[in-house]
């Protein structure tokens, strides 16, 4: 593959300073995104759900493969985590995802009581973590999620652009 695009000195996001753990887990989400695009021929989005230093669940987009419009990366990670720990709620956990969650995924994260979401690239068409909708932080819900964005945004956007370019 040549040069590793996961450079440890990627630019900081406007929302804060990235920890080593943030970088590690987003790199894992990017690995799942690459798998979705290269091997499953799905839109390359990956997600991992973490509690402390423990991986609870991971997933990538699988809507086409599973004939399931809800099989987004975030939902797949939540499903795997639920099975792993025997619960549907994940307080104090962090979800790392390569693309800003859509409204469906954002509400699943709210219902799951995820504590924090870190996403790489914004989604200016359907993003529900601030780009189009503010679902994760809406005062209308009884749970709000801390949101950080921009970690490896350029790399994630590049994966998406290349995927759609190759499909045209």
């Amino acid at each position: 593959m040549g040069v590793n695009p996961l450079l440890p000195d990627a630019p900081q996001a406007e929302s804060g300073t990235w920890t080593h753990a943030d970088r590690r887990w987003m790199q894992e989400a990017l690995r799942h995104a690459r798998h979705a695009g290269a091997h499953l021929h799905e839109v390359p989005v990956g997600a991992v759900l973490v509690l402390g230093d423990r991986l609870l669940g991971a997933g990538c987009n699988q809507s086409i493969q599973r004939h399931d419009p809800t099989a987004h990366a975030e939902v797949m990670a939540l499903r795997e985590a639920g099975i792993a720990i025997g619960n549907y709620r994940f307080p104090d956990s962090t979800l790392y995802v390569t693309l800003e969650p859509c409204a469906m995924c954002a509400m699943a994260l709210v219902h799951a009581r995820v504590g924090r979401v870190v996403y790489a690239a914004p989604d200016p068409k359907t993003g529900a973590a601030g780009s189009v909708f503010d679902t994760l932080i809406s005062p209308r819900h009884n749970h709000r999620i801390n949101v950080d964005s921009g970690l490896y945004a350029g790399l994630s956007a590049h994966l998406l652009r290349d995927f759609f370019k190759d499909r045209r």
Side-chain angles (χ1 to χ4, degrees):
M1 177 170 163
V3 176
N4 181 353
L6 293 175
L7 300 175
D9 57 342
Q12 298 281 322
E14 38 193 75
S15 58
T17 301
W18 302 115
T19 67
H20 174 73
D22 288 334
R23 292 176 188 281
R24 171 186 170 211
W25 292 117
M26 186 60 81
Q27 289 174 4
E28 182 66 12
L30 284 161
R31 188 179 70 76
H32 285 276
R34 284 189 196 92
H35 175 77
H39 301 288
L40 302 179
H41 308 293
E42 298 271 358
V43 176
V45 177
V48 295
L49 186 67
V50 177
L51 182 60
D53 63 353
R54 179 180 173 205
L55 176 64
L56 299 179
C60 63
N61 276 2
Q62 297 181 47
S63 295
I64 298 165
Q65 293 284 314
R66 292 180 177 255
H67 310 285
D68 179 357
T70 69
H72 289 193
E74 301 93 325
V75 172
M76 300 308 292
L78 290 173
R79 288 175 181 166
E80 187 174 280
I83 291 167
I85 68 168
N87 202 336
Y88 68 103
R89 291 210 169 137
F90 313 103
D92 302 318
S93 65
T94 298
L95 181 92
Y96 295 88
V97 61
T98 60
L99 182 65
E100 181 179 5
C102 70
M104 175 189 71
C105 292
M107 281 311 302
L109 296 166
V110 169
H111 288 297
R113 303 294 194 265
V114 169
R116 177 180 178 226
V117 168
V118 178
Y119 69 86
D123 184 344
K125 293 184 180 180
T126 64
S131 290
V132 179
F133 306 107
D134 287 322
T135 306
L136 295 179
I137 61 168
S138 174
R140 294 179 180 199
H141 307 301
N142 61 351
H143 177 72
R144 280 166 283 302
I145 298 174
N146 294 319
V147 178
D148 292 304
S149 62
L151 178 57
Y152 298 128
L155 180 55
S156 180
H158 180 74
L159 286 173
L160 290 161
R161 273 192 306 274
D162 283 355
F163 175 81
F164 287 111
K165 183 177 80 172
D166 291 346
R167 294 184 58 100
R168 288 186 195 124

